[in-house]
Amino acid sequence: MKAFSWTDSPHGAIVADGKRLEAAAYGPPPDEAPTIVLLHEGLGCVALWRDVPEKLAEATGCGVFAYSRAGYGRSDPIPLPRPPDYLVREARDVLPVVLGALGFRRGVLVGHSDGSSIAAIYAGETQDDRVQGLVLLAPHVFAENYGFEGIEEVNRAYESGELKARLAKYHAHVDCAFLGWSGFWSDPGVLGWTIEDFVARWRAPALLIAGRDDHYFTLAQSRAIERIAPTPVESLDLPDCRHAPQFEQPEATLDAIAAFCKKRLGEER
């Protein structure tokens, strides 16, 4: 496993589970400061975090590392359809290798949507004391009927070609990225999906940031996590916000993440 270099360039790559994954890092390396690891949403990638990594590094003094999962961004493609347990596989098989490659010593996992599920699974599956906090943006730990209409709307936009053209600017294998996501979340069989058992085994405190107008998942997700988690959980339910708090309410989201990281990591920095 080749280690990721924080000094040569912000952009680079690592290899995990046999796939080349694009990656980027901002701020100080892990041997100089704690690290925030960003886990993107179901249609995201490194580039689609926009300026969030740089702003987080500046606001917290931490290093910030982002990578595109296989099938996304400029990373290697994957075969479709994705298996039903693909989020669990990402947490068990890929994320540990990523953390090793970046030289992770201590820090916080920040996940958005599917990325929040991967962080939630990892925190319950792996006894990793290096992870001292979780930040889950638009979290989901069980499936809801509520989101099917929103997903169907996105499917229609992709089939019309408009959304596909936009996503192709960011994903080298755009059908792989989109169909891997939509194929899973559009299937009525997904209604049996849950990762609540992982939440019940958390060892780290968490911050949940959700939009009150989220068109995929309701605030029942945050309430379930609050009820199940054995660790302290803080929640921020944002008005005038749908599924991307970091872009729709950027100041409130950044301030909340920075305050949480300071609380969890500040004393030792």
Side-chain angles (χ1 to χ4, degrees):
M1 177 183 64
K2 183 179 179 181
F4 182 86
S5 174
W6 285 65
T7 56
D8 296 343
S9 166
H11 298 278
I14 57 175
V15 175
D17 199 27
K19 302 290 186 181
R20 180 188 179 279
L21 308 180
E22 71 165 338
Y26 301 87
D31 59 348
E32 295 180 10
T35 307
I36 296 171
V37 179
L38 298 180
L39 305 168
H40 64 75
E41 62 161 321
L43 293 178
C45 62
V46 168
L48 284 171
W49 281 109
R50 304 181 197 171
D51 60 355
V52 169
E54 297 98 319
K55 286 184 174 179
L56 274 177
E58 182 179 355
T60 63
C62 296
V64 178
F65 181 88
Y67 70 100
S68 298
R69 298 190 294 276
Y72 295 101
R74 306 301 165 189
S75 294
D76 284 348
I78 56 159
L80 296 179
R82 288 184 180 274
D85 64 344
Y86 79 95
L87 294 173
V88 174
R89 295 186 187 197
E90 287 287 342
R92 286 179 175 170
D93 302 333
V94 180
L95 184 54
V97 179
V98 170
L99 296 179
L102 70 90
F104 186 75
R105 297 187 178 189
R106 183 170 65 92
V108 169
L109 303 181
V110 176
H112 176 213
S113 193
D114 278 9
S116 75
S117 296
I118 294 168
I121 294 165
Y122 184 83
E125 174 75 9
T126 307
Q127 188 170 352
D128 188 347
D129 293 335
R130 299 173 301 172
V131 176
Q132 298 184 350
L134 309 171
V135 178
L136 309 185
L137 308 171
H140 45 73
V141 294
F142 60 90
E144 297 182 76
N145 268 314
Y146 173 81
F148 279 118
E149 183 176 342
I151 293 171
E152 283 306 309
E153 181 180 343
V154 175
N155 283 337
R156 289 191 294 270
Y158 191 80
E159 291 167 2
S160 74
E162 176 188 354
L163 179 59
K164 183 173 182 176
R166 294 206 309 267
L167 290 175
K169 298 176 183 178
Y170 304 100
H171 300 290
H173 310 280
V174 64
D175 283 339
C176 184
F178 184 84
L179 298 177
W181 169 80
S182 67
F184 178 77
W185 289 108
S186 299
D187 185 346
V190 78
L191 289 174
W193 177 85
T194 177
I195 56 168
E196 292 170 292
D197 55 332
F198 292 100
V199 176
R201 300 196 297 271
W202 279 1
R203 300 173 182 85
L207 168 65
L208 315 178
I209 305 179
R212 294 179 184 173
D213 304 314
D214 193 320
H215 50 302
Y216 294 132
F217 296 94
T218 70
L219 293 177
Q221 303 289 333
S222 294
R223 304 294 86 83
I225 295 170
E226 293 167 352
R227 184 176 66 253
I228 298 166
T231 52
V233 174
E234 306 171 35
S235 293
L236 178 61
D237 301 339
L238 292 172
D240 301 317
C241 181
R242 300 179 80 191
H243 195 62
Q246 68 273 30
F247 304 129
E248 294 160 31
Q249 291 284 4
E251 291 186 12
T253 299
L254 181 64
D255 288 349
I257 296 174
F260 180 79
C261 289
K262 181 177 181 180
K263 183 188 302 183
R264 296 304 309 161
L265 305 169
E267 293 81 0
E268 298 181 41
R269 280 172 44 201

